[in-house]
Amino acid sequence: MLSLLNSFRIVAILEGVSYILLLFIATPIKYLADNPMFVKLLGMPHGVLFLAYIVLAIMVGLELKWKTKTLLIVLLASIIPFGTFYIEKKYLKPTK
């Protein structure tokens, strides 16, 4: 069974990928080709992944006893393109 941290790592990566696809593929197609289909297709999965990221970030933050500043950085990263990849590398990388 996946641990909470591993689940959060997977959701963080998926949320980051969905955000990049939405921003850099679907949105330009919507406005340049006047075709909103891709925004409609990617919007809901991204929204679900975004909410899962926020909930899991809070749960992991409580479990790992993150400082408030760290938790805020992790939460803010979800609205910055490529931010979740940075968080995964800096805060979520498993220690060996």
Side-chain angles (χ1 to χ4, degrees):
M1 189 168 159
L2 288 174
S3 71
L4 184 61
L5 183 59
N6 284 336
S7 297
F8 183 53
R9 290 181 73 220
I10 291 168
V11 168
I13 291 168
L14 291 174
E15 196 276 339
V17 169
S18 72
Y19 192 36
I20 297 304
L21 290 173
L22 193 60
L23 278 178
F24 297 112
I25 305 293
T27 302
I29 290 173
K30 177 181 178 180
Y31 291 108
L32 297 175
D34 196 30
N35 184 354
M37 181 181 71
F38 293 105
V39 171
K40 290 178 181 177
L41 286 174
L42 291 171
M44 179 64 79
H46 171 70
V48 170
L49 287 166
F50 175 78
L51 291 175
Y53 179 91
I54 298 298
V55 170
L56 287 170
I58 293 169
M59 291 172 65
V60 168
L62 292 172
E63 184 177 297
L64 298 180
K65 295 178 179 45
W66 283 342
K67 295 178 183 177
T68 304
K69 180 181 176 183
T70 302
L71 181 58
L72 288 175
I73 290 169
V74 171
L75 292 173
L76 286 173
S78 66
I79 61 172
I80 299 169
F82 303 100
T84 58
F85 303 118
Y86 169 77
I87 294 303
E88 196 277 329
K89 186 171 178 92
K90 177 154 176 136
Y91 295 102
L92 306 179
K93 203 66 165 176
T95 56
K96 294 182 180 177

